[in-house]
Amino acid sequence: DVVMTQSPLSLPVTLGQPASISCRSSQSLVYSDGNTHFSWLQQRPGQSPRRLIYGISNRDSGVPDRFSGSGSGTDFTLKISRVEAEDVGVYYCMQYIDWPHTFGQGTKLEIK
Amino acid sequence: EVQVVESGGGLVQPGGSLRLSCATSRFTFSTCWMSWVRQVLGRGPEWVAHISPDGSGKYYVDSVKGRTTISRDNAKSSLYLQMNSLRVEDTAVYYCVGFCSGGNYWGQGSLVTVSS
């Protein structure tokens, strides 16, 4: 299985400050068509996961532009330009190039 | 607004069976890959099963292979998961998830508890 490794696992952030989460995959996530099969998801307390970004840097509908994704191949980053209270939760990276699709361990973002 | 609603969860004894259903609306179900993803309380999600838009392609995580069947009814915009020979370690919230060109849709989840 493709192993997804996130860091940090805990991320205390001051409101209004930036935040960054890294994810590394155990193999390239670039598919034969050139697309990268990678996503970031957010899970707020008590809610279902919600996809934020797919294909490295494409935001889903309704996702604020303070969220951005970057990276290539096996190394990816999620950045939040200015953290807001509603951003509290656990963030997961996910690959869907190979079955089973797999998630990272999760990064818990909290407000300092 | 897109709707994804799971049902059929509950308490079942080890070795028992359960059928989860997922009713969807307001997206083009028949063109989407659909999945069941489960999550143990306090842990990360885990993919369980995945089915192609026409139902011809099915994928299962090793831990449920042989005990679980994913199916869909495109006429009813519904997804199903038949789980047999349930184990204590199958206890989790089960989410129905749609992967479509227009977006990615998650339900609120259905709790399955396997316990004697």
Side-chain angles (χ1 to χ4, degrees):
Chain A
D1 297 0
V2 179
V3 178
M4 306 295 286
T5 304
Q6 288 182 231
S7 63
L9 299 185
S10 178
L11 185 57
V13 184
T14 301
L15 283 172
Q17 292 301 301
S20 179
I21 302 170
S22 297
C23 180
R24 176 167 289 178
S25 60
S26 60
Q27 68 183 62
S28 174
L29 303 184
V30 181
Y31 194 59
S32 54
D33 61 4
N35 291 319
T36 301
H37 288 206
F38 176 84
S39 291
W40 286 103
L41 293 89
Q42 174 195 61
Q43 188 171 28
R44 290 169 170 156
Q47 295 188 13
S48 307
R50 161 201 182 198
R51 192 177 72 181
L52 297 175
I53 293 193
Y54 62 96
I56 302 181
S57 59
N58 302 290
R59 276 190 302 275
D60 273 280
S61 175
V63 175
D65 60 8
R66 64 177 181 276
F67 289 93
S68 64
S70 63
S72 63
T74 60
D75 288 276
F76 308 93
T77 302
L78 175 69
K79 291 183 179 176
I80 309 174
S81 58
R82 293 173 306 278
V83 170
E84 298 188 5
E86 66 178 17
D87 299 336
V88 165
V90 182
Y91 291 79
Y92 297 98
C93 60
M94 187 197 92
Q95 66 81 19
Y96 48 98
I97 198 170
D98 198 13
W99 184 258
H101 302 334
T102 48
F103 295 88
Q105 318 97 299
T107 296
K108 187 173 184 178
L109 186 149
E110 61 180 23
I111 304 300
K112 276 186 192 173
Chain B
E1 184 185 343
V2 166
Q3 301 246 345
V4 179
V5 181
E6 303 92 340
S7 61
L11 175 64
V12 61
Q13 291 190 336
S17 298
L18 208 60
R19 188 191 195 216
L20 299 180
S21 298
C22 172
T24 74
S25 61
R26 298 191 178 92
F27 67 91
T28 314
F29 180 87
S30 61
T31 67
C32 302
W33 281 81
M34 296 297 298
S35 296
W36 289 97
V37 176
R38 67 186 178 186
Q39 186 173 29
V40 175
L41 185 65
R43 295 174 60 179
E46 176 191 35
W47 233 274
V48 176
H50 198 48
I51 186 169
S52 62
D54 66 358
S56 61
K58 299 179 183 182
Y59 303 85
Y60 301 93
V61 70
D62 284 348
S63 59
V64 306
K65 214 173 279 185
R67 306 187 290 122
T68 299
T69 302
I70 188 172
S71 61
R72 65 191 296 162
D73 185 336
N74 285 346
K76 295 182 178 180
S77 297
S78 293
L79 180 72
Y80 307 99
L81 189 71
Q82 176 68 44
M83 298 187 291
N84 302 322
S85 302
L86 281 161
R87 305 168 181 169
V88 170
E89 55 265 33
D90 293 319
T91 295
V93 173
Y94 285 72
Y95 295 103
C96 171
V97 188
F99 292 87
C100 315
S101 59
N104 177 223
Y105 309 116
W106 291 68
Q108 288 305 301
S110 183
L111 177 62
V112 172
T113 303
V114 185
S115 174
S116 53

